[in-house]
Amino acid sequence: MTTHTFDQHVRKETIINVVINVVINCTIIWFLNRHKDTVSAFGDEGFRVDILATAFLLFFLMSLIVMSIHRALQKANKLPEFYINSQHWRHKLFGRLPYSVWVLALGFGLFALLVFAPLTIGVLAAFSITEFTPLAYTIGKGIWVAFFTAIMTRTIIETALIKPKPHKS
């Protein structure tokens, strides 16, 4: 058993996830766009399509990995104590979700696709942003990935650690 608190563990995991995902995403986006004059919002290679794809893939893959690791750590008793509060709305909700890491990861990917991506595309459209330089897009995408990864890491970890309530037959 470790000696740090669950909140400290989540902060450390959040930092790790942000760094890994920003590096991976920025590297990919830079190599895909570095020779272009601009990255447009439109077309098959536009940033709107990229934002949609990234939202789903980032959260599907990240949650799949993070939840699997945390379930293994929990099983090996190598996590700080995590207290489930049966009165907390988030814990009630997480307790009703399926236990399958694959199903949960798919859910996180779809959530990001249906919430984070349209929100991002909508804000860019509201400000009439239709193109970026490759460097500006890479930096912007890094900030986007860092922000959404940071706000979702705790939820993904808690979801992995809360066992679902048995269904009444």
Side-chain angles (χ1 to χ4, degrees):
M1 183 70 92
T2 59
T3 59
H4 59 284
T5 68
F6 185 73
D7 286 340
Q8 290 169 328
H9 172 77
V10 169
R11 277 192 293 277
K12 181 186 92 179
E13 290 295 312
T14 299
I15 291 167
I16 291 168
N17 278 297
V18 165
V19 170
I20 289 170
N21 285 298
V22 167
V23 168
I24 290 169
N25 276 277
C26 287
T27 302
I28 291 169
I29 211 63
W30 177 250
F31 281 109
L32 288 174
N33 294 303
R34 69 178 185 234
H35 297 299
K36 295 180 182 177
D37 291 331
T38 60
V39 180
S40 172
F42 310 104
D44 291 344
E45 294 183 19
F47 66 74
R48 289 180 181 174
V49 172
D50 177 62
I51 289 169
L52 291 167
T54 300
F56 177 78
L57 290 171
L58 170 66
F59 287 97
F60 173 72
L61 294 171
M62 181 180 82
S63 59
L64 188 64
I65 293 165
V66 169
M67 288 188 295
S68 297
I69 289 169
H70 279 80
R71 288 211 176 145
L73 289 172
Q74 184 183 42
K75 189 175 181 180
N77 202 26
K78 292 187 177 185
L79 278 177
E81 191 65 38
F82 171 63
Y83 300 101
I84 299 171
N85 180 348
S86 62
Q87 301 305 312
H88 193 285
W89 71 270
R90 286 169 41 101
H91 292 185
K92 283 182 188 178
L93 172 66
F94 299 160
R96 295 188 181 279
L97 296 174
Y99 188 71
S100 168
V101 171
W102 287 94
V103 172
L104 291 170
L106 181 61
F108 280 115
L110 290 173
F111 175 81
L113 178 65
L114 298 172
V115 176
F116 299 154
L119 178 65
T120 303
I121 293 168
V123 167
L124 293 171
F127 286 102
S128 300
I129 298 172
T130 59
E131 62 183 33
F132 290 99
T133 66
L135 181 59
Y137 186 59
T138 302
I139 292 168
K141 182 97 176 273
I143 293 167
W144 182 86
V145 166
F147 177 75
F148 285 115
T149 298
I151 65 171
M152 288 301 293
T153 299
R154 179 179 204 93
T155 299
I156 292 168
I157 292 171
E158 286 183 359
T159 301
L161 301 179
I162 293 177
K163 304 257 193 277
K165 293 181 181 177
H167 295 289
K168 295 178 183 171
S169 303

